[in-house]
Amino acid sequence: MTTSLEKVLYTAHAHTTGGRDGKSKTDDGRLDVTLSSPGTAGTGTNPEQLFAAGYSACFIGAMKAVAGMKKIALPDDLSIDASVDLGKIPAGYGIAVRLDISLPGMDRTAAQALVDAAHQVCPYSNATRGNIDVTITLV
């Protein structure tokens, strides 16, 4: 089932050349990266690393939004260790995601409820739900 946007809040634009061994730059110049294929001697980043950074940053934003709505204080040192696996699937290649979420000092039941609620509102979670394996673990 596809869900259409009710209202566009922001649009990101990037220009990429050379694919996995190229360059990518946003129209505002805030991101300008060299790309390298995973496992090569190249010095650039790769799409899987960018996805891990993007998903984890977005998920923290979703946790902050949920916490704000529920009047829950988040620990200052909250963090996410994100892993994005690249592998073979029957039709070619696919990815899987693991998010290990650290909410130090929070009651475990409250922290799990927050993580579960954030997973429902996070744009990356909504985009990947039913498409790829996503494992979210409260550590």
Side-chain angles (χ1 to χ4, degrees):
M1 176 173 94
T2 302
T3 302
S4 298
L5 297 177
E6 294 174 8
K7 179 181 178 185
V8 174
L9 301 175
Y10 172 77
T11 301
H13 300 278
H15 180 76
T16 303
T17 58
R20 287 183 172 272
D21 295 305
K23 291 190 65 65
S24 191
K25 182 177 182 179
T26 56
D27 63 336
D28 63 5
R30 291 183 180 189
L31 179 71
D32 187 352
V33 295
T34 300
L35 303 168
S36 298
S37 293
T40 66
T43 59
T45 188
N46 60 63
E48 292 73 28
Q49 290 171 326
L50 294 169
F51 194 80
Y55 198 159
S56 56
C58 189
F59 201 92
I60 288 173
M63 288 192 302
K64 288 180 176 182
V66 170
M69 288 186 288
K70 296 184 179 236
K71 310 276 191 268
I72 298 170
L74 290 175
D76 291 335
D77 54 349
L78 72 90
S79 65
I80 297 179
D81 289 321
S83 301
V84 174
D85 301 318
L86 171 66
K88 297 278 285 168
I89 59 172
Y93 295 91
I95 61 172
V97 174
R98 294 184 312 279
L99 301 178
D100 293 333
I101 301 172
S102 176
L103 294 163
M106 271 191 83
D107 170 77
R108 187 154 185 89
T109 301
Q112 188 63 58
L114 174 73
V115 167
D116 293 344
H119 188 42
Q120 295 305 306
V121 300
C122 175
Y124 277 65
S125 292
N126 288 328
T128 58
R129 187 172 291 110
N131 297 313
I132 64 170
D133 289 335
V134 176
T135 304
I136 299 177
T137 305
L138 182 60
V139 296

